[in-house]
Amino acid sequence: MELITTHTHTNFTNHGEGSVEQLVCAAKAAGITTLAITEHFPLSKAMDPEQYLSMRTENMPHYLAEIKQAQKKHPDIEILCGTELDWLGDFEDRVLDPADFAPFDVVLGSVHFVDGWAFDDPAERGRWDEVGPDAIWRRYFEIWCEAVVSDAPFQIMAHPDLAKKFGIYPSFDLMPLYEQAAEACASSGRMIEVNTSGAHYACAEMFPAPDLLRAFCRAGVECTVGTDAHTPGNVARGIEQAYQLLLQAGYQTVTVPTADGDRRHITIA
Ligand SMILES: [Zn+2]
Ligand SMILES: [Zn+2]
């Protein structure tokens, strides 16, 4: 079975390890055919004071150049040039020019912030106890739905239920919020990913949850697979299990974005 990952990181952000070259070599060794490298798009100094969460603006040209170089050097693997872009909602403090996104084959849309709070950052975890999970989960999906129908340049919505990362769940049934998220995503035409990294956090399951993935499938939302590797050794972690999860949710194909902005499909059934 063909293996793909459309979500990976490098040492271009301070919480990632390994160069572009090391990541590509690890992907080739694992038999991956399409690798999207999707470094965190720069945040402002106000949102990311330590420049820990995202790439420095001044490193962007080097990042793009290294990917280009890797594409030339490794024609035997499809390397997509990508970025993971935060949806900040009302807290957006950058001027995002469409031209900034022209170099990218793939833009992931991510909600890592709820009203300016990096809710999935272990350093910020205390706020979960202060605010309480019910309010956070409701607000998370509100923001997620805003992001998915926005005019941001997202093609793929990353880790759709990232709010579960620490394994803290609301007291209410999440199904109605899942249905809303699936409908919003379907109306936008965007795809989602199964993000395998969730299996290694406290939530101990991939993103999204099986019920949410089934809702996406019912709504006709296409799905790709990302390992969200922050080190080359994890580049292929869990891809085959992700295909199984897709099958169990009712999917028969995994979708892969292509460099020309189109999509191709791998049959998993
Ligand atoms: Zn992310
Ligand atoms: Zn990521």
Side-chain angles (χ1 to χ4, degrees):
M1 176 84 62
E2 196 183 335
L3 301 180
I4 61 106
T5 175
T6 57
H7 188 158
T8 61
H9 298 277
T10 66
N11 58 10
F12 270 95
T13 43
N14 284 329
H15 66 285
E17 289 168 19
S19 64
V20 167
E21 175 66 15
Q22 286 168 328
L23 180 67
V24 171
C25 289
K28 280 171 62 168
I32 286 171
T33 51
T34 292
L35 165 73
I37 306 173
T38 53
E39 204 46 271
H40 294 278
F41 193 82
L43 288 161
S44 71
K45 279 258 173 69
M47 295 301 289
D48 186 14
E50 314 288 330
Q51 297 190 301
Y52 179 76
L53 303 174
S54 66
M55 182 168 29
R56 287 167 182 261
T57 308
E58 59 268 32
N59 280 341
M60 185 60 85
H62 307 297
Y63 172 66
L64 297 174
E66 279 196 24
I67 292 179
K68 224 174 224 158
Q69 207 175 8
Q71 285 166 329
K72 251 190 217 140
K73 187 173 169 190
H74 304 279
D76 48 338
I77 176 171
E78 183 183 35
I79 302 168
L80 299 176
C81 178
T83 191
E84 180 174 8
L85 175 64
D86 282 289
W87 173 259
L88 301 175
D90 299 341
F91 285 71
E92 184 57 76
D93 58 353
R94 300 163 292 184
V95 180
L96 299 176
D97 185 335
D100 296 340
F101 298 95
F104 299 115
D105 306 316
V106 179
V107 179
L108 307 180
S110 291
V111 176
H112 296 115
F113 291 88
V114 164
D115 300 322
W117 164 49
F119 68 85
D120 77 317
D121 181 351
E124 305 273 328
R125 192 183 183 285
R127 180 119 184 248
W128 275 91
D129 300 323
E130 288 161 31
V131 178
D134 283 11
I136 295 168
W137 274 89
R138 281 193 205 287
R139 188 71 185 125
Y140 171 81
F141 271 111
E142 239 170 56
I143 293 169
W144 195 88
C145 288
E146 278 169 27
V148 78
V149 299
S150 73
D151 58 2
F154 309 140
Q155 281 137 314
I156 302 166
M157 299 307 291
H159 38 60
D161 58 350
L162 184 62
K164 74 179 177 196
K165 181 173 168 182
F166 297 131
I168 306 170
Y169 289 92
S171 61
F172 55 81
D173 179 15
L174 278 164
M175 211 58 217
L177 294 183
Y178 288 173
E179 296 293 352
Q180 281 170 26
E183 271 168 42
C185 196
S187 75
S188 76
R190 289 175 167 138
M191 53 181 135
I192 54 138
E193 66 170 6
V194 166
N195 184 307
T196 67
S197 74
H200 304 276
Y201 294 123
C203 58
E205 65 173 29
M206 295 183 183
F207 307 104
D211 279 346
L212 179 52
L213 189 58
R214 269 190 287 274
F216 282 125
C217 184
R218 278 196 302 274
V221 173
E222 293 189 27
C223 184
T224 189
V225 169
T227 49
D228 210 349
H230 282 74
T231 181
N234 289 343
V235 70
R237 190 169 65 166
I239 297 173
E240 278 160 307
Q241 291 93 316
Y243 291 172
Q244 286 308 308
L245 201 70
L246 276 159
L247 268 178
Q248 286 157 13
Y251 284 93
Q252 296 187 331
T253 61
V254 59
T255 304
V256 192
T258 56
D260 58 6
D262 208 352
R263 300 174 178 186
R264 66 185 178 93
H265 299 90
I266 301 168
T267 302
I268 47 174

